[in-house]
Every structure is written in structure tokens, then in C-alpha cells.
Amino acid sequence: MEIIDLLRELLPSGIVDNFDLVRFEKTKERFDIWFDEKRIQEEEDAVNENIIAYGFGDYKSIQDFPLRGRFTHLHLRKRKWLDKSTGEIFSYSIDTSEYEGTRLNAEFVDFLKEDC
């Protein structure tokens, strides 16, 4: 089993596919895990040289199921994109339809769908 497979089993669906792990902290009471959205453009934007990565929004913290007796806090931030031709700054909604019937909580689904 690969580490990525283990992470898919421990974390909410969609985290491993859409976010990169950037930091991890462990205390006696809790785990804190930080993720940044991967730098993946939608197909039509990938061929548009006016669409460029433009940093990240703020971290949003979501409490997940406890691991090994510790609270687990996931800190996620979505990538921002800039359309140089219009000056518009945006982020992508992540389609959650493939995760229907999984253990995604409403707060996480809302985060995946919100704009920057």
C-alpha cells in the first residue's frame, strides 16, 4: 500500500486528489493538517495563456473525525486564478457529485463549491 492510498482512507474524499499536503502538527490533544489546492486548471483555461495562478485564498478550518484519540483539524485553502484579459480573480468550484454517498460533511462540500 502506498502512502497516498493510506491518506485516501484516513481523510475525507477529495482531499488527496484536489489538495497537496503542506504542513502537519501534532499535539497531545489534536492533529492539525494544512492543505493547498493543487495547481490544476480546467481544460479550457489550460490553453488560455491569460489565465494564470494568482496565489491562494485564506485557510478554512474544518474539524474532521478524530484520529487515534485526537481531534483532527483540516486547514484548506483554495487556489486563486487571474484572467489577465479581464482582471477577474476567481477560484474553481470542485465538483462533489462523484463523492455523493461518502462521508463528506456539509461544511466541506460548501468549501469546495465556494469562490475565492
Side-chain angles (χ1 to χ4, degrees), residues 46-69:
V47 296
N48 183 344
E49 60 189 39
N50 286 315
I51 306 295
I52 60 170
Y54 196 69
F56 293 93
D58 295 329
Y59 278 105
K60 172 141 184 174
S61 297
I62 299 169
Q63 188 170 342
D64 196 29
F65 295 101
L67 293 173
R68 303 200 46 84

PDB file of all heavy atoms in Angstrom, residues 46-69:
ATOM      1  N   ALA A  46      -6.618  25.878 -19.407  1.00  0.00           N
ATOM      2  CA  ALA A  46      -5.243  25.387 -19.549  1.00  0.00           C
ATOM      3  C   ALA A  46      -4.611  25.838 -20.860  1.00  0.00           C
ATOM      4  O   ALA A  46      -3.389  25.980 -20.944  1.00  0.00           O
ATOM      5  CB  ALA A  46      -5.213  23.866 -19.434  1.00  0.00           C
ATOM      6  N   VAL A  47      -5.422  26.079 -21.873  1.00  0.00           N
ATOM      7  CA  VAL A  47      -4.895  26.522 -23.170  1.00  0.00           C
ATOM      8  C   VAL A  47      -4.986  28.042 -23.335  1.00  0.00           C
ATOM      9  O   VAL A  47      -4.564  28.576 -24.353  1.00  0.00           O
ATOM     10  CB  VAL A  47      -5.614  25.815 -24.348  1.00  0.00           C
ATOM     11  CG1 VAL A  47      -5.340  24.327 -24.319  1.00  0.00           C
ATOM     12  CG2 VAL A  47      -7.105  26.100 -24.320  1.00  0.00           C
ATOM     13  N   ASN A  48      -5.511  28.718 -22.338  1.00  0.00           N
ATOM     14  CA  ASN A  48      -5.660  30.173 -22.378  1.00  0.00           C
ATOM     15  C   ASN A  48      -4.505  30.798 -21.598  1.00  0.00           C
ATOM     16  O   ASN A  48      -4.463  30.733 -20.383  1.00  0.00           O
ATOM     17  CB  ASN A  48      -7.005  30.570 -21.768  1.00  0.00           C
ATOM     18  CG  ASN A  48      -7.269  32.058 -21.826  1.00  0.00           C
ATOM     19  OD1 ASN A  48      -6.365  32.864 -22.053  1.00  0.00           O
ATOM     20  ND2 ASN A  48      -8.523  32.425 -21.598  1.00  0.00           N
ATOM     21  N   GLU A  49      -3.569  31.427 -22.301  1.00  0.00           N
ATOM     22  CA  GLU A  49      -2.398  31.991 -21.633  1.00  0.00           C
ATOM     23  C   GLU A  49      -2.720  33.210 -20.772  1.00  0.00           C
ATOM     24  O   GLU A  49      -1.870  33.682 -20.012  1.00  0.00           O
ATOM     25  CB  GLU A  49      -1.307  32.339 -22.649  1.00  0.00           C
ATOM     26  CG  GLU A  49      -1.729  33.347 -23.686  1.00  0.00           C
ATOM     27  CD  GLU A  49      -0.709  33.501 -24.790  1.00  0.00           C
ATOM     28  OE1 GLU A  49      -0.118  32.508 -25.223  1.00  0.00           O
ATOM     29  OE2 GLU A  49      -0.523  34.655 -25.230  1.00  0.00           O
ATOM     30  N   ASN A  50      -3.959  33.697 -20.839  1.00  0.00           N
ATOM     31  CA  ASN A  50      -4.374  34.814 -19.988  1.00  0.00           C
ATOM     32  C   ASN A  50      -4.765  34.365 -18.580  1.00  0.00           C
ATOM     33  O   ASN A  50      -4.901  35.196 -17.685  1.00  0.00           O
ATOM     34  CB  ASN A  50      -5.552  35.567 -20.617  1.00  0.00           C
ATOM     35  CG  ASN A  50      -5.120  36.406 -21.797  1.00  0.00           C
ATOM     36  OD1 ASN A  50      -4.112  37.096 -21.745  1.00  0.00           O
ATOM     37  ND2 ASN A  50      -5.881  36.328 -22.874  1.00  0.00           N
ATOM     38  N   ILE A  51      -4.974  33.077 -18.387  1.00  0.00           N
ATOM     39  CA  ILE A  51      -5.357  32.559 -17.071  1.00  0.00           C
ATOM     40  C   ILE A  51      -4.091  32.079 -16.365  1.00  0.00           C
ATOM     41  O   ILE A  51      -3.426  31.146 -16.810  1.00  0.00           O
ATOM     42  CB  ILE A  51      -6.365  31.388 -17.188  1.00  0.00           C
ATOM     43  CG1 ILE A  51      -7.577  31.783 -18.028  1.00  0.00           C
ATOM     44  CG2 ILE A  51      -6.773  30.892 -15.803  1.00  0.00           C
ATOM     45  CD1 ILE A  51      -8.442  32.866 -17.455  1.00  0.00           C
ATOM     46  N   ILE A  52      -3.772  32.741 -15.245  1.00  0.00           N
ATOM     47  CA  ILE A  52      -2.550  32.387 -14.514  1.00  0.00           C
ATOM     48  C   ILE A  52      -2.867  32.176 -13.026  1.00  0.00           C
ATOM     49  O   ILE A  52      -3.830  32.740 -12.505  1.00  0.00           O
ATOM     50  CB  ILE A  52      -1.457  33.474 -14.657  1.00  0.00           C
ATOM     51  CG1 ILE A  52      -1.942  34.820 -14.120  1.00  0.00           C
ATOM     52  CG2 ILE A  52      -1.000  33.589 -16.109  1.00  0.00           C
ATOM     53  CD1 ILE A  52      -0.856  35.872 -14.000  1.00  0.00           C
ATOM     54  N   ALA A  53      -2.058  31.354 -12.367  1.00  0.00           N
ATOM     55  CA  ALA A  53      -2.191  31.160 -10.921  1.00  0.00           C
ATOM     56  C   ALA A  53      -1.930  32.497 -10.237  1.00  0.00           C
ATOM     57  O   ALA A  53      -1.049  33.265 -10.645  1.00  0.00           O
ATOM     58  CB  ALA A  53      -1.214  30.095 -10.443  1.00  0.00           C
ATOM     59  N   TYR A  54      -2.696  32.772  -9.185  1.00  0.00           N
ATOM     60  CA  TYR A  54      -2.636  34.081  -8.549  1.00  0.00           C
ATOM     61  C   TYR A  54      -2.680  33.951  -7.018  1.00  0.00           C
ATOM     62  O   TYR A  54      -3.394  34.662  -6.346  1.00  0.00           O
ATOM     63  CB  TYR A  54      -3.801  34.942  -9.056  1.00  0.00           C
ATOM     64  CG  TYR A  54      -3.666  36.409  -8.782  1.00  0.00           C
ATOM     65  CD1 TYR A  54      -2.709  37.175  -9.421  1.00  0.00           C
ATOM     66  CD2 TYR A  54      -4.519  37.036  -7.890  1.00  0.00           C
ATOM     67  CE1 TYR A  54      -2.593  38.532  -9.172  1.00  0.00           C
ATOM     68  CE2 TYR A  54      -4.423  38.399  -7.638  1.00  0.00           C
ATOM     69  CZ  TYR A  54      -3.457  39.142  -8.279  1.00  0.00           C
ATOM     70  OH  TYR A  54      -3.360  40.484  -8.038  1.00  0.00           O
ATOM     71  N   GLY A  55      -1.956  32.992  -6.487  1.00  0.00           N
ATOM     72  CA  GLY A  55      -1.903  32.829  -5.038  1.00  0.00           C
ATOM     73  C   GLY A  55      -3.049  31.988  -4.495  1.00  0.00           C
ATOM     74  O   GLY A  55      -3.637  31.181  -5.202  1.00  0.00           O
ATOM     75  N   PHE A  56      -3.353  32.221  -3.224  1.00  0.00           N
ATOM     76  CA  PHE A  56      -4.358  31.437  -2.520  1.00  0.00           C
ATOM     77  C   PHE A  56      -5.290  32.339  -1.717  1.00  0.00           C
ATOM     78  O   PHE A  56      -4.911  33.440  -1.326  1.00  0.00           O
ATOM     79  CB  PHE A  56      -3.696  30.460  -1.533  1.00  0.00           C
ATOM     80  CG  PHE A  56      -2.897  29.382  -2.192  1.00  0.00           C
ATOM     81  CD1 PHE A  56      -1.539  29.538  -2.417  1.00  0.00           C
ATOM     82  CD2 PHE A  56      -3.498  28.201  -2.597  1.00  0.00           C
ATOM     83  CE1 PHE A  56      -0.798  28.540  -3.026  1.00  0.00           C
ATOM     84  CE2 PHE A  56      -2.771  27.200  -3.214  1.00  0.00           C
ATOM     85  CZ  PHE A  56      -1.410  27.373  -3.429  1.00  0.00           C
ATOM     86  N   GLY A  57      -6.478  31.818  -1.447  1.00  0.00           N
ATOM     87  CA  GLY A  57      -7.380  32.464  -0.514  1.00  0.00           C
ATOM     88  C   GLY A  57      -6.919  32.154   0.904  1.00  0.00           C
ATOM     89  O   GLY A  57      -5.847  31.574   1.122  1.00  0.00           O
ATOM     90  N   ASP A  58      -7.730  32.511   1.880  1.00  0.00           N
ATOM     91  CA  ASP A  58      -7.416  32.224   3.277  1.00  0.00           C
ATOM     92  C   ASP A  58      -7.681  30.756   3.593  1.00  0.00           C
ATOM     93  O   ASP A  58      -8.511  30.110   2.944  1.00  0.00           O
ATOM     94  CB  ASP A  58      -8.266  33.088   4.209  1.00  0.00           C
ATOM     95  CG  ASP A  58      -7.940  34.569   4.076  1.00  0.00           C
ATOM     96  OD1 ASP A  58      -6.777  34.903   3.784  1.00  0.00           O
ATOM     97  OD2 ASP A  58      -8.855  35.385   4.271  1.00  0.00           O
ATOM     98  N   TYR A  59      -7.003  30.259   4.626  1.00  0.00           N
ATOM     99  CA  TYR A  59      -7.275  28.896   5.080  1.00  0.00           C
ATOM    100  C   TYR A  59      -8.651  28.838   5.718  1.00  0.00           C
ATOM    101  O   TYR A  59      -9.065  29.754   6.419  1.00  0.00           O
ATOM    102  CB  TYR A  59      -6.239  28.434   6.104  1.00  0.00           C
ATOM    103  CG  TYR A  59      -4.962  27.926   5.487  1.00  0.00           C
ATOM    104  CD1 TYR A  59      -3.805  28.693   5.504  1.00  0.00           C
ATOM    105  CD2 TYR A  59      -4.915  26.677   4.880  1.00  0.00           C
ATOM    106  CE1 TYR A  59      -2.628  28.221   4.938  1.00  0.00           C
ATOM    107  CE2 TYR A  59      -3.755  26.197   4.306  1.00  0.00           C
ATOM    108  CZ  TYR A  59      -2.618  26.973   4.349  1.00  0.00           C
ATOM    109  OH  TYR A  59      -1.465  26.515   3.773  1.00  0.00           O
ATOM    110  N   LYS A  60      -9.351  27.764   5.455  1.00  0.00           N
ATOM    111  CA  LYS A  60     -10.615  27.473   6.118  1.00  0.00           C
ATOM    112  C   LYS A  60     -10.383  26.199   6.921  1.00  0.00           C
ATOM    113  O   LYS A  60      -9.837  25.229   6.405  1.00  0.00           O
ATOM    114  CB  LYS A  60     -11.722  27.256   5.095  1.00  0.00           C
ATOM    115  CG  LYS A  60     -13.001  26.769   5.722  1.00  0.00           C
ATOM    116  CD  LYS A  60     -14.193  27.387   5.108  1.00  0.00           C
ATOM    117  CE  LYS A  60     -15.408  26.898   5.876  1.00  0.00           C
ATOM    118  NZ  LYS A  60     -16.604  27.520   5.458  1.00  0.00           N
ATOM    119  N   SER A  61     -10.764  26.215   8.184  1.00  0.00           N
ATOM    120  CA  SER A  61     -10.545  25.057   9.056  1.00  0.00           C
ATOM    121  C   SER A  61     -11.813  24.244   9.193  1.00  0.00           C
ATOM    122  O   SER A  61     -12.898  24.790   9.401  1.00  0.00           O
ATOM    123  CB  SER A  61     -10.070  25.513  10.438  1.00  0.00           C
ATOM    124  OG  SER A  61      -8.829  26.167  10.325  1.00  0.00           O
ATOM    125  N   ILE A  62     -11.652  22.951   9.056  1.00  0.00           N
ATOM    126  CA  ILE A  62     -12.764  22.021   9.158  1.00  0.00           C
ATOM    127  C   ILE A  62     -12.369  20.935  10.145  1.00  0.00           C
ATOM    128  O   ILE A  62     -11.296  20.339  10.028  1.00  0.00           O
ATOM    129  CB  ILE A  62     -13.077  21.395   7.784  1.00  0.00           C
ATOM    130  CG1 ILE A  62     -13.482  22.489   6.791  1.00  0.00           C
ATOM    131  CG2 ILE A  62     -14.154  20.326   7.903  1.00  0.00           C
ATOM    132  CD1 ILE A  62     -13.553  22.042   5.360  1.00  0.00           C
ATOM    133  N   GLN A  63     -13.220  20.694  11.128  1.00  0.00           N
ATOM    134  CA  GLN A  63     -12.933  19.621  12.074  1.00  0.00           C
ATOM    135  C   GLN A  63     -13.412  18.310  11.480  1.00  0.00           C
ATOM    136  O   GLN A  63     -14.560  18.176  11.079  1.00  0.00           O
ATOM    137  CB  GLN A  63     -13.608  19.880  13.416  1.00  0.00           C
ATOM    138  CG  GLN A  63     -13.162  18.886  14.464  1.00  0.00           C
ATOM    139  CD  GLN A  63     -13.616  19.261  15.853  1.00  0.00           C
ATOM    140  OE1 GLN A  63     -13.972  20.401  16.115  1.00  0.00           O
ATOM    141  NE2 GLN A  63     -13.606  18.304  16.752  1.00  0.00           N
ATOM    142  N   ASP A  64     -12.506  17.351  11.416  1.00  0.00           N
ATOM    143  CA  ASP A  64     -12.810  16.044  10.839  1.00  0.00           C
ATOM    144  C   ASP A  64     -12.939  15.035  11.973  1.00  0.00           C
ATOM    145  O   ASP A  64     -12.802  15.360  13.154  1.00  0.00           O
ATOM    146  CB  ASP A  64     -11.688  15.650   9.860  1.00  0.00           C
ATOM    147  CG  ASP A  64     -12.089  14.504   8.938  1.00  0.00           C
ATOM    148  OD1 ASP A  64     -13.287  14.372   8.633  1.00  0.00           O
ATOM    149  OD2 ASP A  64     -11.206  13.734   8.535  1.00  0.00           O
ATOM    150  N   PHE A  65     -13.161  13.783  11.607  1.00  0.00           N
ATOM    151  CA  PHE A  65     -13.258  12.718  12.599  1.00  0.00           C
ATOM    152  C   PHE A  65     -11.949  12.607  13.375  1.00  0.00           C
ATOM    153  O   PHE A  65     -10.871  12.781  12.800  1.00  0.00           O
ATOM    154  CB  PHE A  65     -13.549  11.379  11.913  1.00  0.00           C
ATOM    155  CG  PHE A  65     -14.881  11.331  11.242  1.00  0.00           C
ATOM    156  CD1 PHE A  65     -14.977  11.487   9.865  1.00  0.00           C
ATOM    157  CD2 PHE A  65     -16.038  11.156  11.968  1.00  0.00           C
ATOM    158  CE1 PHE A  65     -16.209  11.451   9.234  1.00  0.00           C
ATOM    159  CE2 PHE A  65     -17.278  11.119  11.351  1.00  0.00           C
ATOM    160  CZ  PHE A  65     -17.358  11.267   9.982  1.00  0.00           C
ATOM    161  N   PRO A  66     -12.018  12.315  14.671  1.00  0.00           N
ATOM    162  CA  PRO A  66     -10.780  12.150  15.454  1.00  0.00           C
ATOM    163  C   PRO A  66      -9.938  10.992  14.925  1.00  0.00           C
ATOM    164  O   PRO A  66     -10.462  10.008  14.401  1.00  0.00           O
ATOM    165  CB  PRO A  66     -11.292  11.833  16.860  1.00  0.00           C
ATOM    166  CG  PRO A  66     -12.709  12.309  16.891  1.00  0.00           C
ATOM    167  CD  PRO A  66     -13.223  12.161  15.487  1.00  0.00           C
ATOM    168  N   LEU A  67      -8.634  11.146  15.043  1.00  0.00           N
ATOM    169  CA  LEU A  67      -7.684  10.089  14.694  1.00  0.00           C
ATOM    170  C   LEU A  67      -6.880   9.749  15.936  1.00  0.00           C
ATOM    171  O   LEU A  67      -6.354  10.636  16.596  1.00  0.00           O
ATOM    172  CB  LEU A  67      -6.718  10.555  13.593  1.00  0.00           C
ATOM    173  CG  LEU A  67      -7.283  10.819  12.220  1.00  0.00           C
ATOM    174  CD1 LEU A  67      -6.217  11.435  11.318  1.00  0.00           C
ATOM    175  CD2 LEU A  67      -7.791   9.529  11.598  1.00  0.00           C
ATOM    176  N   ARG A  68      -6.818   8.479  16.253  1.00  0.00           N
ATOM    177  CA  ARG A  68      -6.020   7.997  17.378  1.00  0.00           C
ATOM    178  C   ARG A  68      -6.271   8.796  18.663  1.00  0.00           C
ATOM    179  O   ARG A  68      -5.356   9.148  19.387  1.00  0.00           O
ATOM    180  CB  ARG A  68      -4.551   7.981  17.020  1.00  0.00           C
ATOM    181  CG  ARG A  68      -4.286   7.127  15.771  1.00  0.00           C
ATOM    182  CD  ARG A  68      -2.899   6.646  15.572  1.00  0.00           C
ATOM    183  NE  ARG A  68      -2.215   6.073  16.680  1.00  0.00           N
ATOM    184  CZ  ARG A  68      -2.302   4.801  17.083  1.00  0.00           C
ATOM    185  NH1 ARG A  68      -3.118   3.975  16.462  1.00  0.00           N
ATOM    186  NH2 ARG A  68      -1.593   4.363  18.093  1.00  0.00           N
ATOM    187  N   GLY A  69      -7.541   9.118  18.915  1.00  0.00           N
ATOM    188  CA  GLY A  69      -7.927   9.802  20.142  1.00  0.00           C
ATOM    189  C   GLY A  69      -7.661  11.297  20.156  1.00  0.00           C
ATOM    190  O   GLY A  69      -7.823  11.938  21.190  1.00  0.00           O
TER     191      GLY A  69
END
